[in-house]
């Protein structure tokens, strides 16, 4: 950095009192990640209120060579929004850019600023009898900018795809402060590279997302939420295939939950109740939906799917939510797994994918393999079976010291799991991104050609390396050996 005092004075003047702070108490909540794994420092926190202000502050950073860490709701799972310890980066919060500029039911589109919280978009869409077809457990804090930057997934990917599919247009500020304006969606546009897609999933390393045009769908007319108890994850896979064959396009979500996770959630939420009276090794949470006007027979379809599965011996027991309230209660159980687990104690989390058809076999083999290799640990896998993506968490043995265990045995566990996933042809990050958590692992296991392409793109768009340094893009091999 050239002259910190001059930079700070100019930034304060540019953004005013509401848009700039160095107050340690105001900054503290934003300097640790959601999981409490990473903590850092920052020179200051900037909270611009418009694209023009983002552009001006980024230009100022470029002039003074100040690193920038973009941040939305700080709900990310890979430490991507947490600055390092040095304290020389500017934390750039997009949370004040929270306007929903337009919800248009005719064009089925919405234009949102980066800081709009996902739940607020759901509510605004519902006011116009529309819906935004992406949801996840962190919806009360995750922002549109963060969801785009991480190409978030969630529980409706099975039918509607990841964030990448929802983004029709994008506006972003690049490392030199220039504004990339591709907010107006075009159904057909073959003017070369799709640059907005390059920015999606780039975790703040190529540009700062300031606004987006997103896809909306008409609100659903009816839904059926099913909870099934199963003997094994293999049976869950068979049930998924059965649901796909019978429900077709009505199948919106298919999540798996092992007994261990359900127990953790029931301990964590005192008012929550077990959906089935009996206990089961595995559970499947299934959502079927029908759009307004095509709702005939959804409950009958749900009932026949379950009775056929029962007759085939695929499920041990099942129920269908009797009301919207009960449906929400079922989903709350699923969405509370991460907070419940966080309360239990240390765990190494792995957000992994393998080809959908192989996931059940992967879990059946990987769980005992990990537990045998690291005695005292318990491995659990839960989540988006229909997408070939589970959260594979390895819980620490009792009485380990939080912090020490993660940096010691925890690291060896992650390397072991990532090696396994790579051998099965999968990905070490299915939906949470790379951040600082998996950057070295991506460098170790990634395809060298793909990594070289990533480094070239980063160098071209951010030659000073100021955008979210230390995140996502692995160091070049020569830099590692220095
Ligand atoms: C309980 C819980 C459940 C979750 N479940 C899921 C799930 O099922 N699926 C899933 O995919 N994720 C899930 N997540 C993770 C999380 O919600 C996503 O990673 C989310 O996309 C991050 O949004 P955010 O606004 O909080 O971003 P942050 O955490 O603030 O930032 C995440 C990354 O994006 C960058 N970034 C943020 N805003 C911008 C911007 N405007 N421009 C450029 N870069 C930016 C940051 O630098 C960082 O690298 C869950 C989180 C929680 C807490």
């Amino acid at each position: 950095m050239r002259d910190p005092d001059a930079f700070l004075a100019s930034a304060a003047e540019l953004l005013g009192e509401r848009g700039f702070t160095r107050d340690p108490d105001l900054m503290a909540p934003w300097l640790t990640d959601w999981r409490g794994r990473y903590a850092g420092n920052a020179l200051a926190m900037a909270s611009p209120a418009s694209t023009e202000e983002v552009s001006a502050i980024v230009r100022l950073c470029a002039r003074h060579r100040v690193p920038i860490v973009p941040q939305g709701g700080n709900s990310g799972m890979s430490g991507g929004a947490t600055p390092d310890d040095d304290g020389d980066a500017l934390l750039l919060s997009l949370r004040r850019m929270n306007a929903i500029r337009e919800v248009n039911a005719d064009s089925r589109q919405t234009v949102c600023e980066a800081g709009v919280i996902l739940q607020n978009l759901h509510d605004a869409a519902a006011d116009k009898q529309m819906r935004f077809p992406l949801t996840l457990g962190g919806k009360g804090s995750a922002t549109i900018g963060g969801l785009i930057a991480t190409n978030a997934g969630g529980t409706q990917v099975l039918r509607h795809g990841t964030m990448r599919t929802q983004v029709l247009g994008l506006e972003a500020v690049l490392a030199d402060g220039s504004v990339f304006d591709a907010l107006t969606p075009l159904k057909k546009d073959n003017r070369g590279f799709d640059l907005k897609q390059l920015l999606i999933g780039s975790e703040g390393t190529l540009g700062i997302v300031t606004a987006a045009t997103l896809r909306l769908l008409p609100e659903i007319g009816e839904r059926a939420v099913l909870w099934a108890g199963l003997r094994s994850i293999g049976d869950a896979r068979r049930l998924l295939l059965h649901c796909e064959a019978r429900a077709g396009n009505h199948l919106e979500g298919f999540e798996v939950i092992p007994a261990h996770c359900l127990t953790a959630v029931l301990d964590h939420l005192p008012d929550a109740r077990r959906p089935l009276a009996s206990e089961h090794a595995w559970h499947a949470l299934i959502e079927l939906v029908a759009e307004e006007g095509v709702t005939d027979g959804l409950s009958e379809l749900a009932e026949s799917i379950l009775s056929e599965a029962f007759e085939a011996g695929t499920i041990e027991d099942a129920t269908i939510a009797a009301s919207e309230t009960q449906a929400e209660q079922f989903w709350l159980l699923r969405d509370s797994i991460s907070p419940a687990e966080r309360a239990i104690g240390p765990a190494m989390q792995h957000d992994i994918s393998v080809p959908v058809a192989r996931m059940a076999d992967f879990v059946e083999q990987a769980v005992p393999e990990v537990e045998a290799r690291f005695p005292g640990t318990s491995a659990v896998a839960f989540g988006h079976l229909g997408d070939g993506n589970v959260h594979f968490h390895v819980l620490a043995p009792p009485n380990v010291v939080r912090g020490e265990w993660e940096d010691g045995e925890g690291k060896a566990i992650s390397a072991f799991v990532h090696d396994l996933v790579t051998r099965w042809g999968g990905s070490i990050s299915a939906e949470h991104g790379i951040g600082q958590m998996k950057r070295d692992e991506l460098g170790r296991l990634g395809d060298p050609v793909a990594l070289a392409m990533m480094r070239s793109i980063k160098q071209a768009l951010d030659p000073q390396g100021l955008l979210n340094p230390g995140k996502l893009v692995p160091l070049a091999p020569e830099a590692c050996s220095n």
Side-chain angles (χ1 to χ4, degrees), residues 34 70-77 80-81 94 114 136-138 141-143 145-147 149-150 152-154 203-204 207-209 335 338-339 384 391 431-432 468:
W34 186 83
Q71 192 180 75
N74 198 23
S75 71
M77 297 285 199
L94 278 298
L136 41 79
S141 47
T143 63
L147 293 159
T150 59
E203 301 186 32
I208 318 288
V209 175
D335 288 342
S338 290
H384 323 300
H391 302 305
E431 57 175 13
H432 291 163
N468 220 359

Side-chain angles (χ1 to χ4, degrees), residues 226 242-243 246-247 288 300-309:
L226 294 63
H242 177 58
C243 289
R246 293 286 279 107
L288 308 181
E300 291 77 5
L301 176 65
E303 275 165 27
S304 58
I305 284 176
L306 289 181
S307 64
E308 287 156 14

Side-chain angles (χ1 to χ4, degrees), residues 290-329:
E291 267 71 35
E292 195 69 54
V294 279
T295 60
D296 270 3
L298 196 70
S299 347
E300 291 77 5
L301 176 65
E303 275 165 27
S304 58
I305 284 176
L306 289 181
S307 64
E308 287 156 14
F310 193 69
E311 268 171 39
T314 313
I315 59 177
E316 294 181 314
D317 195 5
T319 184
I320 301 173
S323 62
E324 259 309 294
T325 310
Q326 200 179 20
E328 284 302 309
Q329 285 164 353

Side-chain angles (χ1 to χ4, degrees), residues 75-120:
S75 71
M77 297 285 199
S78 307
T82 311
D84 66 18
D85 252 355
D86 296 351
D88 59 5
L90 180 75
L91 191 60
L92 181 58
S93 164
L94 278 298
R95 288 182 291 277
R96 275 180 76 211
M97 289 190 64
N98 60 4
I100 299 176
R101 294 183 192 158
E102 184 187 343
V103 177
N104 190 324
D106 292 335
S107 62
R108 299 186 174 186
Q109 288 171 8
T110 178
V111 182
C112 287
E113 292 184 350
V116 169
I117 290 174
L118 179 57
Q119 181 65 60
N120 294 345

Side-chain angles (χ1 to χ4, degrees), residues 11-360:
E13 193 186 332
L14 181 71
L15 298 172
E17 232 171 77
R18 284 194 68 198
F20 186 80
T21 185
R22 299 196 70 204
D23 181 336
D25 291 338
L26 293 178
M27 286 164 52
W30 308 106
L31 293 172
T32 302
D33 76 312
W34 186 83
R35 279 190 167 135
R37 289 268 324 264
Y38 302 98
N41 284 309
L43 195 57
M45 181 162 77
S47 307
S50 65
T51 303
E52 293 71 30
E53 285 191 358
V54 175
S55 164
I57 189 72
V58 171
R59 201 172 299 122
L60 189 69
C61 288
R63 197 171 332 126
H64 288 268
R65 297 203 179 144
V66 174
I68 299 170
V69 178
Q71 192 180 75
N74 198 23
S75 71
M77 297 285 199
S78 307
T82 311
D84 66 18
D85 252 355
D86 296 351
D88 59 5
L90 180 75
L91 191 60
L92 181 58
S93 164
L94 278 298
R95 288 182 291 277
R96 275 180 76 211
M97 289 190 64
N98 60 4
I100 299 176
R101 294 183 192 158
E102 184 187 343
V103 177
N104 190 324
D106 292 335
S107 62
R108 299 186 174 186
Q109 288 171 8
T110 178
V111 182
C112 287
E113 292 184 350
V116 169
I117 290 174
L118 179 57
Q119 181 65 60
N120 294 345
L121 173 57
H122 284 166
D123 295 345
D127 286 347
K128 296 264 180 102
Q129 288 74 53
M130 301 298 286
R131 68 175 176 138
F132 178 61
L134 184 141
T135 193
L136 41 79
K139 63 188 171 197
S141 47
T143 63
I144 296 306
L147 293 159
I148 292 173
T150 59
N151 182 29
T155 51
Q156 295 173 339
V157 173
L158 185 61
R159 186 174 180 213
H160 301 292
T162 63
M163 199 64 191
R164 213 175 267 294
T165 321
Q166 318 311 331
V167 177
L168 305 173
L170 194 74
E171 179 190 82
V173 170
L174 303 184
D176 62 357
S178 56
V179 178
F180 168 70
D181 179 0
L183 208 48
T184 307
L186 293 172
K187 194 155 186 175
K188 298 182 87 172
D189 179 12
N190 272 352
R191 289 173 291 176
F193 306 148
D194 190 340
L195 297 168
K196 72 176 180 309
Q197 287 296 341
L198 188 59
L199 287 158
I200 301 168
S202 67
E203 301 186 32
T205 63
L206 299 182
I208 318 288
V209 175
T210 47
T213 306
L214 304 171
R215 181 168 91 109
L216 295 177
L217 295 177
E219 75 182 352
I220 52 171
E222 190 185 349
R223 71 169 172 166
V225 177
L226 294 63
W227 187 285
L230 306 135
R231 235 168 263 112
S232 67
I233 191 168
D235 281 344
R237 163 91 182 134
R238 279 179 275 284
L239 180 60
L240 169 66
L241 291 175
H242 177 58
C243 289
E244 284 176 341
R246 293 286 279 107
N249 203 30
H250 291 297
L251 180 61
E252 174 130 326
F254 191 104
E255 300 285 305
V256 287
I257 303 160
H260 181 286
C261 291
L262 180 60
T263 306
V265 171
L266 294 170
D267 290 345
H268 184 67
L269 301 176
D271 294 335
R273 293 224 317 265
R274 202 174 265 290
L276 300 170
S278 45
E279 298 204 5
H280 305 273
W282 284 89
H283 304 262
L285 174 58
I286 305 155
E287 179 154 317
L288 308 181
V289 301
E291 267 71 35
E292 195 69 54
V294 279
T295 60
D296 270 3
L298 196 70
S299 347
E300 291 77 5
L301 176 65
E303 275 165 27
S304 58
I305 284 176
L306 289 181
S307 64
E308 287 156 14
F310 193 69
E311 268 171 39
T314 313
I315 59 177
E316 294 181 314
D317 195 5
T319 184
I320 301 173
S323 62
E324 259 309 294
T325 310
Q326 200 179 20
E328 284 302 309
Q329 285 164 353
F330 286 3
W331 274 109
L332 181 66
L333 296 174
R334 161 63 187 93
D335 288 342
S336 302
I337 296 176
S338 290
E341 252 208 1
R342 190 171 68 154
I344 292 178
M348 297 309 289
Q349 295 93 1
H350 311 96
D351 156 45
I352 53 158
S353 64
V354 299
V356 181
R358 306 185 73 194
M359 183 47 96

